Amino acid sequence: MVNNILQKLTILSAVLILILTASIGNAYEDVGVSVSIKGNVNYANKKKANLLAEKQAIISYLKRINPSAVKKACAKQLVDSRALLIRNISRKSVSKIGDYMEASYVVCIDDKKFNNRLEELGCDAQTGVTKVTILIMEEPPTKANISMILNPEDSTGVRKLRGLGPFAVFYTSYQRSIRDTIISKANQEGIKLTSLDKFEEFQKMKRSNDDPLVGVYFDVDSEDFVINKSLLKFVRSRFAAQTTIVLYYRIKSLYFDQVTRELKADIAISLYNLNSGETKSVGSQDFMVIVPEGQASVAIRDGLAEVASNAASLLMNKAKEQIRRIITTTQIPKTQPVIVTVHLNSKRTMYKVKKNLKPDMISHSEIKDGSLILNLAKGIQADDFVYGELLDVLEGMGIKIPESNIRLNGQEVIIQQ
């Protein structure tokens, strides 16, 4: 009977890990495009439309992740490499309108291959007009949110562990696991994160031989997590002269119950602009597995590292979009105004949007050629306006704009309903 239960728990654990790992490894993005071909709906024109949709999807995706590369030679090379970068394409509609055949498609792009190719061509997002450095660091976890019932006398599940047990002892191994997972996931998305322990000049800041230099360490005297203030001060002085973003991760909660055998971690990520002092929260993500009964504490230790790093990996799916927005914003010349063009289905709706926007964020607005044209006021950043003001106004009117319909291209932003 006991063996059967253990076997079922093991299978359940394996299934959970398999399902969640599959979602972690997903590096594909769908791009919606519409094309127009002069002529009737026939096989030859469908073939032309299919080819045009592939090319258009590559350029549209490039505009999203690195608009400064659109007019470079690498854009053509990416289009030429589309057979390797496109996973599949599906036609959603086709119709004859006037003298033209119009068709819409969803093109599935392999994000990892796309960004690897960008890097090979020297056109990745962080090598635009302004070089952007992204550091990875940690914010201290909340000790009260770490609960691990591992002592035999606590096996009833009603008392907390006395102290932090193996989590404190093996804390640096968790830090390395989470850090390395985030870096690996970011690399898949074409984002280069910099680890401080790669710099020789930072080695003197280590609190122990295996300190991964993420800015937090466990102090055995105070039995608490402490910020390495001297390291933070050195980071500020070392990177003050360049555009630098700090990706902060935090172990929001960590939990193991010896009765239910649940092992769960919750990770939060935020982005801090070292130059402007702005912080953007990405959010949090949890990850849970069931640990089969009878496993040694070392297996639980490794499991804690696994759930924490997997939660971080899932969260990076959200973080990459925020990072790209910040990088794109840094490439905009500060002396030039940002122009936001909004394409909506109704001119009446555009007038309502124009009226409801905060006037101090806009220097000039007009409806021209069926579009709402907005010149942003001096000092207003494109991503702050779009994601902090415009989308809120649109959603308040019942209009939801998908991420794929938002284009940040230098000092120009285009939004399509």
Side-chain angles (χ1 to χ4, degrees):
M1 179 69 177
V2 174
N3 287 336
N4 288 338
I5 294 173
L6 282 174
Q7 187 177 18
K8 288 178 180 178
L9 283 170
T10 304
I11 292 171
L12 176 60
S13 177
V15 170
L16 279 170
I17 292 172
L18 179 62
I19 292 171
L20 290 170
T21 303
S23 65
I24 290 169
N26 187 352
Y28 306 117
E29 288 205 24
D30 291 331
V31 178
V33 294
S34 298
V35 298
S36 182
I37 301 290
K38 190 170 185 178
N40 296 318
V41 178
N42 53 43
Y43 175 78
N45 280 340
K46 285 180 180 178
K47 193 173 180 180
K48 288 180 183 178
N50 195 88
L51 178 63
L52 185 59
E54 289 183 346
K55 293 180 177 180
Q56 188 171 310
I58 294 292
I59 297 300
S60 294
Y61 191 58
L62 180 60
K63 283 181 179 179
R64 281 180 56 198
I65 64 176
N66 188 13
S68 63
V70 172
K71 296 182 180 180
K72 295 182 180 179
C74 57
K76 182 181 183 305
Q77 290 174 288
L78 285 167
V79 169
D80 292 342
S81 304
R82 64 187 180 279
L84 298 173
L85 309 179
I86 294 176
R87 188 168 180 247
N88 59 60
I89 178 172
S90 60
R91 187 171 61 242
K92 296 300 178 183
S93 67
V94 61
S95 59
K96 180 76 184 302
I97 300 178
D99 295 331
Y100 290 85
M101 182 197 84
E102 296 194 0
S104 62
Y105 297 83
V106 172
V107 183
C108 183
I109 291 178
D110 189 312
D111 200 34
K112 181 179 179 181
K113 289 182 179 178
F114 194 101
N115 285 290
N116 286 345
R117 183 64 178 140
L118 263 182
E119 189 173 351
E120 290 171 4
L121 297 170
C123 293
D124 56 293
Q126 286 165 253
T127 56
V129 178
T130 303
K131 185 184 178 190
V132 180
T133 299
I134 306 175
L135 305 176
I136 179 168
M137 300 187 73
E138 179 184 8
E139 290 183 313
T142 304
K143 189 167 67 172
N145 292 338
I146 298 172
S147 179
M148 293 183 290
I149 305 160
L150 299 174
N151 290 342
E153 62 269 27
D154 289 340
S155 59
T156 60
V158 296
R159 295 191 299 273
K160 265 193 173 183
L161 174 68
R162 299 179 184 92
L164 294 177
F167 180 77
V169 175
F170 300 107
Y171 185 52
T172 55
S173 69
Y174 303 135
Q175 289 178 309
R176 288 182 182 277
S177 181
I178 297 170
R179 181 200 65 184
D180 293 346
T181 298
I182 291 176
I183 289 175
S184 175
K185 183 69 174 178
N187 286 341
Q188 291 179 13
E189 313 296 348
I191 299 168
K192 299 174 187 174
L193 300 188
T194 300
S195 179
L196 293 176
D197 68 351
K198 303 301 180 186
F199 293 91
E200 185 65 33
E201 61 203 283
F202 280 93
Q203 297 304 311
K204 60 186 178 182
M205 300 291 175
K206 284 190 172 185
R207 294 290 176 168
S208 63
N209 290 333
D210 58 350
D211 182 356
L213 287 176
V214 289
V216 174
Y217 65 95
F218 185 78
D219 189 317
V220 293
D221 294 326
S222 63
E223 293 189 355
D224 205 353
F225 304 100
V226 181
I227 295 174
N228 188 338
K229 293 182 179 179
S230 60
L231 176 65
L232 287 182
K233 186 177 180 181
F234 194 28
V235 166
R236 288 180 179 278
S237 61
R238 169 66 173 77
F239 294 98
Q242 59 195 81
T243 303
T244 305
I245 301 167
V246 181
L247 184 151
Y248 278 109
Y249 73 84
R250 178 168 63 90
I251 301 173
K252 192 175 179 182
S253 66
L254 197 59
Y255 172 80
F256 175 67
D257 191 316
Q258 204 164 4
V259 176
T260 64
R261 312 302 295 174
E262 288 185 1
L263 186 62
K264 183 178 180 180
D266 195 351
I267 303 292
I269 287 180
S270 61
L271 303 170
Y272 175 68
N273 190 321
L274 198 65
N275 306 91
S276 67
E278 292 180 279
T279 300
K280 294 182 182 293
S281 173
V282 174
S284 62
Q285 175 71 51
D286 59 21
F287 190 96
M288 187 271 287
V289 294
I290 302 294
V291 179
E293 197 169 348
Q295 294 292 311
S297 61
V298 67
I300 296 171
R301 178 202 71 188
D302 294 341
L304 290 170
E306 179 190 355
V307 292
S309 60
N310 283 345
S313 182
L314 286 166
L315 191 54
M316 280 301 293
N317 291 325
K318 301 176 185 177
K320 67 178 182 182
E321 299 300 336
Q322 289 272 23
I323 292 170
R324 285 172 179 168
R325 287 172 200 157
I326 294 175
I327 291 173
T328 299
T329 302
T330 64
Q331 307 299 341
I332 300 173
K334 303 302 179 185
T335 57
Q336 297 185 27
V338 177
I339 300 174
V340 180
T341 303
V342 185
H343 301 288
L344 299 178
N345 297 334
S346 164
K347 184 178 286 189
R348 184 179 179 183
T349 302
M350 286 188 280
Y351 273 110
K352 287 184 178 179
V353 172
K354 177 182 174 182
K355 184 179 179 180
N356 288 329
L357 292 171
K358 293 178 181 176
D360 58 342
M361 300 187 79
I362 300 164
S363 62
H364 176 72
S365 63
E366 63 177 323
I367 295 175
K368 182 179 179 182
D369 298 328
S371 299
L372 173 59
I373 311 296
L374 305 168
N375 287 24
L376 300 191
K378 186 177 180 181
I380 302 297
Q381 296 185 2
D383 60 338
D384 287 338
F385 173 76
V386 172
Y387 295 99
E389 168 69 5
L390 180 59
L391 292 186
D392 286 346
V393 170
L394 290 170
E395 287 175 6
M397 299 171 64
I399 301 171
K400 291 189 176 181
I401 306 295
E403 187 75 33
S404 58
N405 287 12
I406 301 172
R407 307 272 191 271
L408 281 85
N409 184 14
Q411 67 269 29
E412 181 183 14
V413 181
I414 300 174
I415 295 174
Q416 178 74 53
Q417 184 175 2

